[in-house]
């Protein structure tokens, strides 16, 4: 995992200049996504955050976490670089806020299973850490029903990046499969093809609810002018925001219709209909067009009760209570 140490060293050295160049705008437009700071109120991908335990991966100076704290969330900021967390502490002091700040790699999260309702990253650790290590860790610390929401550059931006000029262009320069910055770059960043992201999420119990491709408005301004020109970002998506939700641990009931219920009991469908009409069959869990649906376990339990009653009727009467 040499990329972790390489990225940590770079951010330790660059944190001061980065915050001087971008920090104030990130603070003033905190609850917003990407280099163009498109407001969450327009994107609408987070949902209600009040009362949620939130982990920000690659928090930098924690501007996003401060915004979430104002909205009633309980944030925790995590960053691999101590210098970034020092900047975050200064922001918290100035804003009069207090919440935990943790130095760690997003590839090995120092939290117990099921600690958070929301994991968020805005061009943070989900860009600079290996997704095949971060996604399993995120899934582990999320509670059932919790969400991973993160903003990164798109594969479009990645494959059109010209290393010789350090700018994005209109020609394909990098391969789509196995996307990763070269070891000669100052930092190591990661990207996956769309299908690989989806497969990785599903492998670890996360299901995509939404993918928002960000398009800045005409006349938008950014402090990241060298990263992508406005005209490029308005023609092709340079940034994307994923929302993937951890599946609930509750199992979906195994449902059967009339034909399947009859097969379980060894009956024909007309006999099932007779017991449904009598009201002695299990109550249906859903009404579908022209039919009924029952839990398989309820049908089996009904069959066992039916057989037990039938057997009891077949036993000879023993009115004197004489033992056989």
């Amino acid at each position: 995992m040499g990329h972790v140490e390489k990225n940590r060293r770079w951010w330790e050295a660059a944190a001061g200049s980065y915050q001087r160049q971008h920090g104030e705008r990130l603070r003033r437009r905190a609850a917003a996504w990407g280099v163009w700071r498109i407001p969450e109120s327009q994107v609408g991908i987070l949902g209600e955050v009040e009362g949620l335990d939130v982990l920000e991966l690659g928090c930098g100076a924690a501007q996003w976490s401060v915004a979430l704290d104002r909205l009633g969330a309980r944030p925790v900021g995590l960053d691999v670089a101590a210098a970034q967390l020092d900047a975050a502490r200064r922001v918290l002091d100035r804003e009069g806020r207090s919440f935990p700040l943790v130095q760690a790699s997003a590839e090995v999260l120092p939290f117990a299973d099921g600690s958070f309702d929301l994991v968020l990253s805005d061009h943070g650790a989900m860009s600079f850490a290996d997704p095949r290590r971060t996604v399993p860790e995120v899934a582990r610390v999320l509670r059932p029903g919790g969400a991973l929401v993160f903003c990164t550059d798109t594969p479009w931006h990645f494959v059109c990046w010209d290393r010789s000029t350090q700018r994005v262009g209109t020609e394909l320069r990098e391969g789509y499969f196995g996307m990763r910055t070269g070891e000669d770059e100052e930092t190591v960043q990661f990207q996956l093809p769309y299908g690989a992201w989806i497969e990785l999420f599903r492998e670890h119990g996360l299901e995509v609810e939404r993918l928002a491709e960000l398009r800045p408005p005409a006349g938008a301004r950014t402090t990241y002018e060298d990263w992508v020109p406005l005209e490029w970002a308005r023609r092709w998506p340079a940034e994307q925001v994923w929302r993937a939700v951890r599946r609930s641990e509750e199992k979906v009931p195994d449902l059967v219709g009339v034909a399947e219920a009859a097969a379980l009991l060894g009956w024909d469908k007309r006999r099932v209909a007779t017991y449904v009409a009598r009201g002695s069959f299990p109550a249906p869990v859903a009404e579908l067009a022209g039919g009924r649906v029952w839990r398989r376990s309820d049908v089996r339990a009904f069959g066992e009760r039916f057989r037990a009653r039938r057997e009891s009727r077949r036993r000879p009467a023993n009115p004197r209570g004489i033992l056989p």
Side-chain angles (χ1 to χ4, degrees), residues 279-300:
S280 56
F281 208 69
V285 296
E287 291 285 353
L288 298 179
R292 292 170 179 256
V293 176
W294 298 272
R295 290 184 177 89
R296 185 184 298 271
S297 58
D298 289 346
V299 174
R300 285 177 172 155

Side-chain angles (χ1 to χ4, degrees), residues 43-309:
V43 180
I45 200 166
L46 275 185
E48 179 62 50
V49 299
E50 184 176 3
L52 300 187
D53 293 309
V54 182
L55 173 63
E56 184 181 2
L57 296 181
C59 66
Q63 292 96 338
W64 248 114
S65 287
V66 167
L68 294 171
D69 190 56
R70 288 198 192 100
L71 294 171
R74 295 183 293 271
V76 174
L78 179 143
D79 204 282
V80 73
Q84 287 283 63
L85 295 177
D86 289 340
R89 292 185 185 95
R90 292 191 292 271
V91 170
L92 264 62
D93 288 343
R94 185 171 63 222
E95 298 290 334
R97 300 281 165 177
S98 177
F99 50 78
L101 298 172
V102 178
Q103 183 178 5
S105 166
E107 297 182 15
V108 186
L109 295 175
F111 306 107
D113 296 1
S115 295
F116 298 97
D117 304 296
L118 173 65
V119 175
L120 175 145
S121 179
D122 187 4
H123 285 282
M126 291 302 296
S127 298
F128 291 93
D130 186 341
R132 302 195 184 279
R133 294 178 181 272
T134 56
V135 169
E137 280 292 271
V138 167
R140 180 182 64 80
V141 303
L142 273 177
R143 295 171 182 142
L148 165 64
V149 182
F150 66 100
C151 179
T152 66
D153 60 343
T154 64
W156 291 68
H157 184 268
F158 210 101
V159 300
C160 290
W161 186 258
D162 187 340
R163 296 191 195 189
S164 64
T165 62
Q166 291 294 293
R167 290 180 180 275
V168 67
T170 58
E171 297 179 357
L172 300 180
R173 298 278 184 172
E174 302 287 340
Y176 180 72
F177 300 102
M179 286 178 281
R180 172 175 162 169
T181 54
E183 293 297 331
D184 58 331
E185 299 285 336
E186 292 179 320
T187 60
V188 178
Q189 298 180 50
F190 295 83
Q191 183 57 271
L192 293 176
Y194 288 108
W197 275 118
I198 293 169
E199 289 178 5
L200 183 60
F201 294 145
R202 290 182 62 84
E203 180 183 352
H204 296 285
L206 300 171
E207 294 196 352
V208 176
E209 279 195 347
R210 189 176 165 203
L211 173 61
E213 295 171 304
L214 303 183
R215 188 189 190 206
R221 301 182 65 183
T222 180
T223 55
Y224 299 85
E225 290 87 358
D226 292 342
W227 191 76
V228 60
L230 176 62
E231 59 273 17
W232 198 101
R234 284 186 53 77
R235 291 186 67 191
W236 303 286
E239 300 174 287
Q240 59 191 5
V241 185
W242 289 90
R243 178 183 174 89
V245 174
R246 184 182 166 191
R247 290 192 293 266
S248 172
E249 293 176 344
E250 295 181 5
K251 293 183 179 179
V252 177
D254 190 3
L255 304 180
V256 296
V258 176
E260 294 89 349
L264 285 172
L265 297 169
W267 295 356
D268 61 34
K269 292 189 288 185
R270 290 172 297 179
R271 191 175 181 190
V272 171
T274 299
Y275 279 88
V276 169
R278 290 180 183 176
S280 56
F281 208 69
V285 296
E287 291 285 353
L288 298 179
R292 292 170 179 256
V293 176
W294 298 272
R295 290 184 177 89
R296 185 184 298 271
S297 58
D298 289 346
V299 174
R300 285 177 172 155
F302 168 80
E304 291 172 3
R305 291 194 301 271
F306 180 87
R307 286 189 291 272
R309 287 196 301 270

Side-chain angles (χ1 to χ4, degrees), residues 22-43:
H22 308 293
E24 181 59 23
R25 181 168 173 81
L26 293 174
R27 185 186 69 82
R28 285 189 288 106
R29 302 188 64 127
W33 295 104
V35 302
W36 303 98
R37 311 312 296 153
I38 299 177
E40 162 60 17
S41 59
Q42 293 180 18
V43 180

